[in-house]
Amino acid sequence: MVIYMKSLGTKLVYDTQNSLSERPPEQSHIPSLRNEYSVVSMFAGAGGLDLGMMGGFTYKNRRFPELPFKILAAYDSDQQCVDTYRNNIGSHIKRRDLTEIPAVEIPKADILIGGFPCQDFSSCGPKKGITTSRGRLYKSLISYMKEHSPMLVVGENVPHLARMNNGVVLKTIVDEMAAVGYNFKIWDLFAPDYGVPQNRRRLFLIGIRNDLCGNIRPPKATYKSKHRTIEWAIGDLEEVTDETIPNQSQYFKASRAKNGNGQGDETSIREKPGYTVRANAKSRVQFHYSLNRRLTVRELARLQTFPDDFVFSHSATKNVMQIGNAVPPMLAYKVANRILSFLSNRSNSS
């Protein structure tokens, strides 16, 4: 389907997965498929996107095999996020402000990934967009792209980014990223359609270097008519009140708020996916569907598809912020598989 956006003066094409795409690049050449592809991760946070790219984790008794993506270096400015990442994923993460690191000092990699900070683009945030220094942090990705020309770039952010100023903010960001030699497409992915038991939607900005051929299609929405419910995700935790499963005893004991339009005070619905896990907790975490308490840190991690052996070792507030800011590893894994399929298909056809 083709749609014209008059406000942007741009012709946009939707594919069969309802993702927004530019016209495919001209055919050229991609290097032969290798046993391993290197990755650099920016704004890594607790590591949901990174874990999904790497694979090798178990969630709800399902094993997600390792993928041939090796993360050379990861960066985040928050020390507690760095600690969580290092304790659960690896020591290749560093606490650094990316605005202060010359791109030449960051390792050259085949793939660049980064969920650039979303607070200024979120529908429940300040909505200041690219007018703030935080809103312009996506430029760190561009600096790296200019210096190292990775084959592929994966950016991630909130869906409200596409609606800001009638789409102008998103177009500005994509145009700046494309200008350094990339073709971009935008995937608008609704997490429950991909097996994630949480009502969460995210944008993925997928960039392919101009000299590479082919078109990356979004993952197939195999759960579109059979969304997993919150009870499916956390029902087995109802009788667990200690730390036999990490973070299960950790939850806010606050009562329902008297103002704030009820945001975060919803009671979860047993037969539906959980509500979106918010990064700005402030004790406003949704309530359990049958127990008289708010959801635990582990239950929120389950909604985000973190494995049970992924431990969040800080305060409840900080842990919830880390979980809420993360990309669901299962969703990231599906994105990573599409990237791998693209690399494999292009190699086989070259």
Side-chain angles (χ1 to χ4, degrees):
M1 179 175 68
V2 178
I3 184 171
Y4 290 89
M5 296 183 65
K6 294 180 180 179
S7 61
L8 303 185
T10 305
K11 188 175 183 179
L12 304 168
V13 182
Y14 285 83
D15 62 27
T16 56
Q17 296 296 326
N18 195 33
S19 69
L20 185 60
S21 305
E22 293 184 353
R23 293 186 180 280
E26 295 297 323
Q27 296 292 308
S28 61
H29 177 70
I30 195 169
S32 297
L33 182 67
R34 302 196 301 270
N35 292 329
E36 190 172 77
Y37 294 91
S38 57
V39 180
V40 159
S41 173
M42 294 184 170
F43 315 109
L49 180 57
D50 298 45
L51 182 60
M53 287 290 297
M54 296 166 60
F57 64 93
T58 299
Y59 172 73
K60 293 288 291 181
N61 296 319
R62 177 186 170 186
R63 183 66 178 172
F64 292 81
E66 290 185 12
L67 297 174
F69 298 115
K70 179 181 180 181
I71 301 180
L72 301 181
Y75 302 89
D76 199 273
S77 62
D78 185 300
Q79 183 60 56
Q80 290 181 315
C81 285
V82 169
D83 293 340
T84 297
Y85 187 112
R86 180 175 290 122
N87 292 338
N88 290 282
I89 296 179
S91 59
H92 52 264
I93 191 169
K94 297 179 181 179
R95 181 190 179 188
R96 296 294 298 272
D97 181 343
L98 286 167
T99 64
E100 299 177 355
I101 311 177
V104 69
E105 295 182 7
I106 300 175
K108 179 179 177 63
D110 299 316
I111 301 168
L112 173 66
I113 64 175
F116 52 98
C118 64
Q119 290 86 347
D120 289 306
F121 308 119
S122 174
S123 60
C124 59
K127 305 184 186 70
K128 294 182 178 179
I130 56 178
T131 64
T132 68
S133 57
R134 182 172 58 182
R136 292 190 295 272
L137 285 173
Y138 69 91
K139 291 180 179 291
S140 295
L141 298 172
I142 296 174
S143 295
Y144 184 92
M145 294 159 68
K146 287 180 179 178
E147 179 66 33
H148 295 301
S149 298
M151 292 191 296
L152 297 169
V153 179
V154 180
E156 181 270 345
N157 215 279
V158 294
H160 188 71
L161 173 60
R163 299 190 293 271
M164 296 189 73
N165 197 13
N166 293 319
V168 171
V169 173
L170 176 59
K171 185 176 186 299
T172 298
I173 292 173
V174 172
D175 283 353
E176 288 186 30
M177 298 178 79
V180 298
Y182 290 79
N183 287 282
F184 269 87
K185 60 182 60 188
I186 298 98
W187 295 349
D188 182 354
L189 303 185
F190 185 50
D193 289 348
Y194 302 92
V196 177
Q198 179 194 174
N199 187 21
R200 190 179 193 90
R201 185 179 292 277
R202 284 297 182 269
L203 292 184
F204 286 84
L205 283 60
I206 310 296
I208 305 173
R209 202 174 63 207
N210 282 344
D211 64 306
L212 305 182
C213 65
N215 183 27
I216 302 180
R217 303 289 285 179
K220 187 175 181 180
T222 52
Y223 288 85
K224 197 165 188 176
S225 60
K226 48 183 178 179
H227 290 166
R228 287 168 165 166
T229 68
I230 185 173
E231 184 179 32
W232 174 87
I234 68 173
D236 62 304
L237 298 176
E238 290 186 28
E239 303 300 323
V240 181
T241 59
D242 57 18
E243 287 297 293
T244 53
I245 297 180
N247 300 117
Q248 177 59 9
S249 67
Q250 190 179 43
Y251 62 92
F252 294 113
K253 298 177 175 63
S255 59
R256 295 184 188 274
K258 297 180 180 179
N259 51 38
N261 299 320
Q263 188 177 49
D265 272 341
E266 303 95 341
T267 296
S268 302
I269 301 173
R270 183 193 300 265
E271 301 85 7
K272 294 184 178 181
Y275 289 103
T276 302
V277 179
R278 301 184 307 141
N280 187 11
K282 295 184 179 178
S283 303
R284 304 293 293 282
V285 173
Q286 291 86 0
F287 283 82
H288 197 279
Y289 52 82
S290 64
L291 302 178
N292 188 28
R293 61 162 173 75
R294 295 182 185 271
L295 298 176
T296 68
V297 168
R298 177 49 51 193
E299 289 165 347
L300 296 174
R302 283 273 190 95
L303 295 183
Q304 281 280 60
T305 68
F306 278 100
D308 284 350
D309 60 1
F310 197 105
V311 180
F312 297 88
S313 57
H314 303 291
S315 68
T317 297
K318 190 62 181 181
N319 288 341
V320 171
M321 289 177 66
Q322 291 183 10
I323 294 169
N325 272 325
V327 177
M330 180 190 293
L331 185 60
Y333 188 83
K334 291 179 180 292
V335 170
N337 267 287
R338 296 309 301 152
I339 292 171
L340 183 60
S341 178
F342 166 78
L343 294 171
S344 177
N345 289 340
R346 291 304 91 204
S347 174
N348 292 336
S349 62
S350 63

